[in-house]
Amino acid sequence: MAEAMIEFQNVTKQYQGGQAAVDGLTMSIDKGAITVFVGPSGCGKTTSLRMINRMVEPTSGIITVGGADVTSVPAAQLRRSMGYVMQSSGLMPHRSVLDNIATVPRLNGVSKAESRKRAQELLDVVGLASSLGKRYPSQLSGGQQQRVGVARALAADPPVLLMDEPFSAVDPVVRDELQKELLRLQHDLAKTIVFVTHDIDEATVLGDKVAVFAVGGKLAQYAAPDEILRAPANEFVASFVGRDRGFRHLAFSPSDGVTIHPVRTITAEQLPQEGSSDDWQLVVDDALRPLGWAGPGRAGTGPAMVPGGSLFRKGDTLRRALDAALSSPSGLGVAVNDDGQVAGVIAATEVLAVIESDRSVRHGGL
Ligand SMILES: Nc1ncnc2c1ncn2[C@@H]1O[C@H](COP(=O)(O)OP(=O)(O)OP(=O)(O)O)[C@@H](O)[C@H]1O
Ligand SMILES: [Mg+2]
């Protein structure tokens, strides 16, 4: 069993005059793992996160970090001992990027030269060019600002990183990049990360464990992401996870059971001008990379080649296998090798059969 780093023991937070923002929260957060708090707006995610570093004090209950009650440490000291990243990067506008990153080490008494040197290294760690260190936050893109926010949180090398919707203000492409970057970082650093989002996709991509909060600050389910997708604990979690949850969990299933079959290929020069009445044929270029499909069309129906769907590689997930097969006009997903050359095809019917048997194994009650 994983070692606990942070524990909530029956923690409740009631703001003045309001309903409970967090209600009797009991949970244990694993050391060296990413735990994601996810849930709709107002369900108490931020409040729960901020109680960990005492930016918010609980009304009742106990929170421990590394076995020690957080109230045993002065709040300011506790806050500096944890990295904190928020939605808006929260950078100080009148300070350079380097000085922003160096803030907490400076407060902790590290010399100016030393903390700048470290800040410079951290730019590289979060994937930013070192020349950006001299700029001011307003001279950076949103994604770059968020990276600086992450660098700043890492500056004091804290064991715990608290991240409150850090990537929600950037566009989906940048967000994807930042998520990958965080996973890469975490692979090397193995911090205890608590990450808040209201996006279930982000939660399942990033989380070793996911805590789904329901309105009223109640913990609705706390489990590994594949379990939440496959077996939502109740109606609320099921609806929050969304309708295609039955397929999302395939992103965690291997495609080992899917057979790659040989396929007849032709080059573009061999392509008939009109649909032939033959079977589907895969059109490839000189390097054997897939171009599209020549369909078994009726005579006189126009150009014979139709674009193919997404590609499948050996070792991909079952989800990708399904995507490849279903997005292909022939019902055959194109499998390619590492050089992008055609390795064969996978049949939609067979992928669905593997999914079906995968499902019955899961529900077979092992
Ligand atoms: N300082 C405060 N004073 C009074 N009520 C507050 C305060 N902060 C939060 N609340 C209330 O507590 C509840 C939980 O708020 P919280 O910010 O923790 O939710 P959240 O899950 O982070 O929401 P969001 O996804 O919108 O960020 C909400 O009903 C909110 O209105
Ligand atoms: Mg919030």
Side-chain angles (χ1 to χ4, degrees):
M1 245 195 81
E3 190 184 337
M5 181 66 169
I6 302 168
E7 292 202 74
F8 286 82
Q9 295 165 22
N10 199 19
V11 173
T12 291
K13 174 65 187 183
Q14 192 132 27
Y15 290 105
Q16 206 112 46
Q19 276 191 312
V22 176
D23 192 5
L25 180 64
T26 296
M27 71 185 294
S28 170
I29 291 173
D30 293 340
K31 186 174 181 173
I34 302 182
T35 298
V36 179
F37 292 177
V38 69
S41 192
C43 67
K45 305 180 294 293
T46 295
T47 300
S48 300
L49 189 77
R50 290 185 169 187
M51 286 193 290
I52 297 172
N53 71 357
R54 294 185 66 191
M55 286 165 80
V56 172
E57 301 283 0
T59 309
S60 62
I62 292 171
I63 297 169
T64 63
V65 175
D69 187 330
V70 292
T71 58
S72 68
V73 183
Q77 190 184 327
L78 187 77
R79 235 163 275 160
R80 275 189 253 149
S81 73
M82 299 181 203
Y84 189 83
V85 188
M86 47 193 163
Q87 176 174 359
S88 60
S89 63
L91 301 175
M92 291 169 287
H94 52 283
R95 288 205 191 168
S96 73
V97 164
L98 278 190
D99 286 343
N100 264 285
I101 297 174
T103 306
V104 171
R106 290 289 288 140
L107 288 171
N108 286 338
V110 177
S111 76
K112 193 162 186 165
E114 183 60 30
S115 53
R116 280 226 175 138
K117 183 163 159 275
R118 173 83 182 125
Q120 195 74 55
E121 289 166 8
L122 279 164
L123 280 179
D124 185 52
V125 170
V126 299
L128 290 176
S130 61
S131 59
L132 295 182
K134 290 190 290 287
R135 292 202 195 168
Y136 289 90
S138 63
Q139 299 169 313
L140 301 180
S141 72
Q144 288 169 335
Q145 289 183 31
Q146 287 312 104
R147 285 169 195 260
V148 174
V150 173
R152 184 180 54 175
L154 289 172
D157 198 20
V160 174
L161 217 54
L162 308 176
M163 308 181 81
D164 194 354
E165 307 212 27
F167 307 150
S168 63
V170 293
D171 71 61
V173 175
V174 174
R175 188 177 194 174
D176 244 40
E177 260 171 42
L178 291 171
Q179 289 171 354
K180 289 209 183 83
E181 200 77 25
L182 180 66
L183 287 173
R184 187 184 61 74
L185 267 178
Q186 172 66 354
H187 184 79
D188 297 339
L189 303 178
K191 302 283 182 192
T192 301
I193 298 180
V194 187
F195 188 107
V196 169
T197 179
H198 53 254
D199 178 347
I200 187 68
D201 287 325
E202 183 163 75
T204 56
V205 165
L206 294 179
D208 294 300
K209 275 201 189 156
V210 174
V212 184
F213 283 71
V215 182
K218 290 208 180 291
L219 188 57
Q221 187 169 9
Y222 183 35
D226 64 329
E227 187 178 335
I228 288 190
L229 296 178
R230 167 168 54 82
N234 53 42
E235 269 308 301
F236 168 76
V237 178
S239 67
F240 186 74
V241 162
R243 268 188 300 162
D244 73 328
R245 68 182 183 277
F247 290 112
R248 279 207 182 109
H249 85 265
L250 297 176
F252 298 92
S253 304
S255 61
D256 301 347
V258 177
T259 308
I260 299 177
H261 298 282
V263 62
R264 244 177 92 193
T265 59
I266 57 171
T267 61
E269 290 76 47
Q270 295 171 309
L271 195 61
Q273 285 312 296
E274 294 179 335
S276 72
S277 55
D278 211 355
D279 265 352
W280 285 97
Q281 292 177 305
L282 186 59
V283 186
V284 296
D285 68 9
D286 294 341
L288 284 177
R289 286 180 300 239
L291 294 175
W293 287 94
R298 292 131 299 169
T301 50
M305 193 176 85
V306 278
S310 60
L311 300 174
F312 173 78
R313 287 181 169 77
K314 210 173 160 66
D316 274 350
T317 63
L318 208 43
R319 169 92 196 216
R320 294 200 63 113
L322 184 67
D323 286 346
L326 292 184
S327 63
S328 167
S330 63
L332 298 170
V334 178
V336 293
N337 63 21
D338 290 339
D339 297 324
Q341 295 167 325
V342 172
V345 288
I346 55 177
T349 48
E350 293 182 11
V351 176
L352 288 167
V354 171
I355 290 169
E356 205 40 57
S357 67
D358 185 61
R359 213 184 286 269
S360 52
V361 168
R362 285 165 184 279
H363 296 296
L366 286 172

